[in-house]
Amino acid sequence: MNYLTRRLVTFPVVMLGVSVLVFVSIRLVPGDAITAMLGTEAGLLTPAQRASLETYFGMDQSWFGQYWHWLGGVLQGNLGISVTYGRPVLDVILRVFPLTLELALLSMIVALAVGLPAGVYAATHAERPSDLIVRIVAMVGQSTPSFVVALLAIYALSVWFGVLPAMGTFTPLWEDPLKNLAQMILPALTLGFAFAAAVTRISRSAMLDILSDDYIRTARAKGVPARSVIWHHALPNALIPVVTVSGVEFGYLLGGAVIVEQVFALPGLGRTVLDAILQRDYALVQGACCSSRLIS
Amino acid sequence: MTLLRSIFAHPSGRIGGTIVALYLIIAIMGLVGLTPHDPLMQFRIDRLHAPSATYWMGTDLLGRDVASRLMIGIAQSFIVSFASVALATVLGIVLGLTAAWFGSYWDGTIMRAMDVLLAFPAILLALLIITIVGPGTWTSVMAIAFVYTPIFTRVVRGPALSLKTREFVDAARTFGSSRTYILSRHMLLNLVAPLTVQVTLALAWALLTEAGLSFLGLGTQPPQASLGLMLSEARNLMEMAPWLLVFPAFAIMIGILGFNLLGDALRDILDPRSRGAVA
């Protein structure tokens, strides 16, 4: 079997494993969804009311029954009902997902816009002080947790410029693009920072490898201008590992958004999953974890 | 000894090694109580005191000495990271070696299970485990170990598969060496180099994850100190008391940087093939 077929065959198996793992683990969390939803009022429920709620959310069935029911629903495009939102899980996910996707895309743009030129610059100035500086900055970037970048950025903004990032009510992109971008720029820079560091390191090493290739020497010997050698001959080939890593990292960006969304109070997928875990919203955790896996 | 010398001959090894050694000393001093003040003592009159001769890094909202808390915070973060990476390494060695050795269904089962675990964003998986067991130091250790086990399993399984077919393993088998002996002496000893590199880099990630979990309030619990927790406490006070933010933030950054630099140096030294691959 070639690589692609093997991946295609194992993919459903892995997805099934992911769904079983999430299903079992979220049910191992102490406390039940009804208590988490109603809080202290749950104590006031009569046994009959509780039983009807349990039937409504399918909690009266065995774990196996619940899982089977859920899986059957998924195959028909029904991910169940979220207890906390009182709406279909798919609805909730589709509503919060665009924000996370936008955040991930913006961070990727930031990362490529900063990382790629920095990497190329470092490779063409290898072993010079400027190369060393780029490498140190990249190393520091990879070593800094996103929430540390976020906090330092908020602090620097508020102290030096006297402005605070617009938090609180969030404006979707399609309502007011400018306002939305103003809200997203700091989270995107934060999330893109570590990613930019990774892109810098990879593009630098890929460029270094390629710049010592024979065809580059040939191009130089032919008298192709240095700028053209770098941007037209070397860079397209150096982009291959960068694209691969960006693809992999993009999946992580979608997941890694949890903390950044939390710090900047953005209602995205990561924050929704975090809340759903804390609220024991079984169906939502299940649906969100599996769909975020499906996308990445 | 030779390894130590090579580390210090390598530029990033020198910096990384020094940082890690320094942090270890600070952590040990914090653990044995050699802190400037009692980290839990609340100096009520000196609440939110700026850095001074008495309080080198100032005091927090409850009047606790930030420098002392930073020291035990580093110790706490190190304990969690070291314990979780140790656990992940042992699990990874056992799973990876047996997967490579027995092959067929056992290998398939283990590696698909690892794929499932790897499919999750690290922080989400850790969150899920912590909500099941309840937050705390040892839960974070378990959660972080669980998250990084698949990586170690993969790091061990790959080279183990090729080692398994080497002549010296066949020779050991014909001598009648037991399976455990072959696995632990012949196979494992040859995996020490890639494992050392992985362990160092994993320590950097573990520090990062631990800080993230504590920051979300799911790791180390107050009144204990950990770097992530200190930052989360500093969040609402940073304009009034920037020292609460700046010191722990840089402590985390520099610590992780140390392990990353050391890991890079070790990779260059122990794995000549990848020399300069990602510089």
Side-chain angles (χ1 to χ4, degrees):
Chain A
M1 274 197 286
N2 68 24
Y3 180 73
L4 191 66
T5 354
R6 208 167 52 226
R7 292 301 296 189
L8 283 178
V9 172
T10 53
F11 182 69
V13 181
V14 170
M15 277 309 289
L16 207 66
V18 169
S19 71
V20 171
L21 184 73
V22 177
F23 184 87
V24 172
S25 48
I26 183 75
R27 274 161 185 78
L28 288 175
V29 175
D32 66 292
I34 295 176
T35 318
M37 176 177 62
L38 297 177
T40 46
E41 286 174 32
L44 303 174
L45 289 175
T46 64
Q49 283 173 322
R50 179 172 271 276
S52 75
L53 269 178
E54 279 176 358
T55 318
Y56 180 69
F57 290 116
M59 286 187 282
D60 54 343
Q61 300 170 29
S62 69
W63 279 17
F64 184 75
Q66 290 181 35
Y67 181 72
W68 194 245
H69 186 78
W70 179 81
L71 196 63
V74 169
L75 294 179
Q76 296 164 29
N78 173 12
L79 293 174
I81 306 276
S82 155
V83 180
T84 30
Y85 292 85
R87 299 164 38 156
V89 168
L90 197 60
D91 255 26
V92 177
I93 295 176
L94 287 180
R95 209 181 42 168
V96 295
F97 180 67
L99 191 150
T100 304
L101 186 68
E102 187 194 344
L103 181 60
L105 281 174
L106 285 177
S107 325
M108 184 123 126
I109 293 172
V110 169
L112 291 176
V114 175
L116 211 52
V120 173
Y121 178 82
T124 48
H125 295 73
E127 307 304 328
R128 280 195 239 162
S130 48
D131 171 39
L132 194 69
I133 292 171
V134 171
R135 283 164 67 186
I136 291 174
V137 173
M139 199 71 193
V140 170
Q142 277 206 316
S143 307
T144 315
S146 51
F147 61 90
V148 172
V149 182
L151 290 179
L152 289 176
I154 294 176
Y155 175 68
L157 271 185
S158 64
V159 170
W160 290 327
F161 301 101
V163 285
L164 273 176
M167 285 199 262
T169 46
F170 175 76
T171 322
L173 183 64
W174 50 88
E175 275 178 22
D176 186 348
L178 274 182
K179 200 169 167 205
N180 170 275
L181 279 182
Q183 282 180 321
M184 293 296 276
I185 193 72
L186 204 55
L189 282 175
T190 302
L191 199 56
F193 185 58
F195 190 17
V199 172
T200 307
R201 280 160 63 95
I202 288 150
S203 50
R204 176 184 176 273
S205 71
M207 272 305 265
L208 271 183
D209 268 0
I210 283 165
L211 284 177
S212 61
D213 275 359
D214 289 341
Y215 79 97
I216 296 292
R217 197 173 326 121
T218 313
R220 282 196 176 131
K222 281 196 309 187
V224 179
R227 186 179 290 267
S228 174
V229 170
I230 290 166
W231 295 104
H232 293 128
H233 291 76
L235 188 62
N237 282 317
L239 278 179
I240 298 168
V242 177
V243 170
T244 316
V245 170
S246 303
V248 175
E249 289 266 342
F250 191 68
Y252 285 109
L253 277 183
L254 288 174
V258 179
I259 290 184
V260 173
E261 284 175 11
Q262 186 70 15
V263 175
F264 289 103
L266 292 174
L269 189 62
R271 196 148 172 256
T272 308
V273 176
L274 184 64
D275 287 345
I277 292 179
L278 298 177
Q279 295 285 328
R280 321 267 179 285
D281 193 337
Y282 297 147
L284 186 55
V285 176
Q286 181 100 353
C289 279
C290 292
S291 53
S292 75
R293 170 61 197 135
L294 190 67
I295 300 151
S296 55
Chain B
M1 263 315 150
T2 8
L3 182 64
L4 264 185
R5 208 168 297 141
S6 336
I7 290 175
F8 276 83
H10 192 287
S12 49
R14 200 157 41 229
I15 307 172
T18 313
I19 294 176
V20 170
L22 224 91
Y23 269 65
L24 274 177
I25 295 171
I26 294 176
I28 292 168
M29 281 170 64
L31 279 181
V32 297
L34 282 174
T35 49
H37 298 275
D38 179 349
L40 295 180
M41 175 70 111
Q42 304 180 359
F43 300 96
R44 291 295 175 95
I45 318 165
D46 290 331
R47 285 166 27 163
L48 292 181
H49 198 287
S52 66
T54 333
Y55 309 109
W56 302 340
M57 298 182 180
T59 60
D60 66 7
L61 189 62
L62 298 174
R64 295 172 299 191
D65 179 42
V66 173
S68 310
R69 289 184 70 71
L70 200 71
M71 288 174 75
I72 57 159
I74 289 174
Q76 177 71 21
S77 303
F78 266 44
I79 290 173
V80 173
S81 316
F82 276 83
S84 55
V85 171
L87 192 59
T89 313
V90 172
L91 286 173
I93 289 174
V94 172
L95 292 173
L97 271 185
T98 52
W101 187 262
F102 296 110
S104 93
Y105 288 116
W106 178 244
D107 184 28
T109 313
I110 288 186
M111 292 327 283
R112 287 304 80 72
M114 293 302 127
D115 281 350
V116 169
L117 290 182
L118 270 182
F120 279 91
I123 197 93
L124 266 191
L125 187 56
L127 278 177
L128 210 55
I129 297 169
I130 287 169
T131 17
I132 296 172
V133 195
T137 306
W138 295 107
T139 319
S140 327
V141 170
M142 259 176 45
I144 299 173
F146 202 62
V147 170
Y148 291 119
T149 300
I151 298 174
F152 280 98
T153 310
R154 283 194 170 180
V155 166
V156 169
R157 178 182 169 264
L161 271 179
S162 70
L163 279 176
K164 188 182 149 190
T165 58
R166 296 273 291 275
E167 286 90 350
F168 65 87
V169 174
D170 283 339
R173 256 192 246 178
T174 40
F175 285 155
S177 306
S178 74
R179 191 185 291 151
T180 332
Y181 185 82
I182 297 179
L183 283 177
S184 58
R185 293 304 297 264
H186 294 291
M187 308 266 285
L188 188 57
L189 278 187
N190 275 299
L191 292 169
V192 168
L195 272 174
T196 314
V197 177
Q198 202 59 44
V199 164
T200 323
L201 293 174
L203 280 171
W205 306 328
L207 275 175
L208 217 121
T209 317
E210 195 277 333
L213 290 175
S214 305
F215 181 73
L216 290 176
L218 295 167
T220 306
Q221 296 297 306
Q224 284 305 319
S226 102
L227 298 176
L229 192 61
M230 291 176 79
L231 277 177
S232 140
E233 289 167 353
R235 240 171 109 175
N236 300 321
L237 294 165
M238 57 193 185
E239 276 180 71
M240 215 192 308
W243 56 90
L244 291 181
L245 170 75
V246 174
F247 292 116
F250 281 95
I252 293 182
M253 254 160 73
I254 297 170
I256 298 172
L257 183 69
F259 280 107
N260 270 333
L261 286 171
L262 190 62
D264 270 11
L266 281 172
R267 184 169 42 203
D268 283 354
I269 296 163
L270 295 173
D271 185 8
R273 269 169 311 160
S274 73
R275 185 160 296 166
V278 176

